[in-house]
Amino acid sequence: LAPAAPGPAPHGLDSTGTPILSRPWQLLGLPVVTVPGHRDPYGMPLGIQLIGHPDRVGRLLGIARRTQTLVPEH
């Protein structure tokens, strides 16, 4: 479990934000799922990364699905 980005999602569709916090997991070849977390005061989502084991992707996706249901939508 880790933050997906150093801040909220950027406004608009020109960028998805910086991938700097996902680079270590990519380097290690680990699967990552990002789910929306709480929102900042402007309503922009703060992403949460769930990092899994390469042999347990299905379990990671199940945890991501459950995690997403725990975070209330605004």
Side-chain angles (χ1 to χ4, degrees):
L1 179 65
H11 291 276
L13 300 175
D14 294 334
S15 172
T16 60
T18 177
I20 191 75
L21 297 180
S22 66
R23 295 287 190 225
W25 319 123
Q26 294 170 1
L27 181 63
L28 294 170
L30 299 175
V32 176
V33 176
T34 300
V35 296
H38 288 284
R39 295 183 180 269
D40 75 358
Y42 303 103
M44 298 306 291
L46 301 165
I48 301 167
Q49 288 186 94
L50 303 171
I51 302 101
H53 189 279
D55 296 334
R56 296 187 180 98
V57 175
R59 183 171 181 187
L60 175 63
L61 293 174
I63 292 169
R65 186 178 309 121
R66 176 72 177 129
T67 301
Q68 191 170 358
T69 66
L70 296 173
V71 178
E73 291 192 33
H74 296 276

